[in-house]
Amino acid sequence: QLQLVESGGGLVQPGGSLRLSCTTSTGFIIDYYAIGWFRQAPGKEREGLSSISNTGTTENYADSVKGRFTISRDNAKNTVYLQMISLNPEDTALYYCAAAWGTLAGLRVEAYEYWGQGTQVTVSS
């Protein structure tokens, strides 16, 4: 079964940047999967942030992160990234990556089959 591992979270000051990584921990090839990034803050529903097609040619962004977050993938490294800039305290959450078989899956939680355990991002001064 496909297993995903997120990394790169941490504590950052408002206005700062982080780059999250999502990679597979098993021998699965990520090329066949669309990948999405999501986040969940305490007491809130899981929110879709960005997704990328299996080839990397199509990207989607939620309005809340458009212009600040950039998704990318390096299939040769079996890794998908989420570059985040201009972070603010409202971005504090547990960030997850997820995979869906096929070309593109969008930002709906229900579209994804495989999930990582998450990496915590805290934006605070």
Side-chain angles (χ1 to χ4, degrees), residues 104-118:
L104 189 64
L107 301 180
R108 294 183 305 111
V109 170
E110 299 76 14
Y112 291 83
E113 305 153 68
Y114 306 102
W115 293 81
Q117 295 298 307

Side-chain angles (χ1 to χ4, degrees), residues 72-112:
S72 62
R73 66 190 297 160
D74 185 342
N75 285 351
K77 295 183 178 180
N78 257 8
T79 302
V80 176
Y81 304 98
L82 186 69
Q83 178 69 48
M84 307 185 295
I85 65 171
S86 302
L87 289 164
N88 57 67
E90 290 70 36
D91 294 315
T92 295
L94 190 59
Y95 283 67
Y96 300 90
C97 66
W101 178 267
T103 56
L104 189 64
L107 301 180
R108 294 183 305 111
V109 170
E110 299 76 14
Y112 291 83

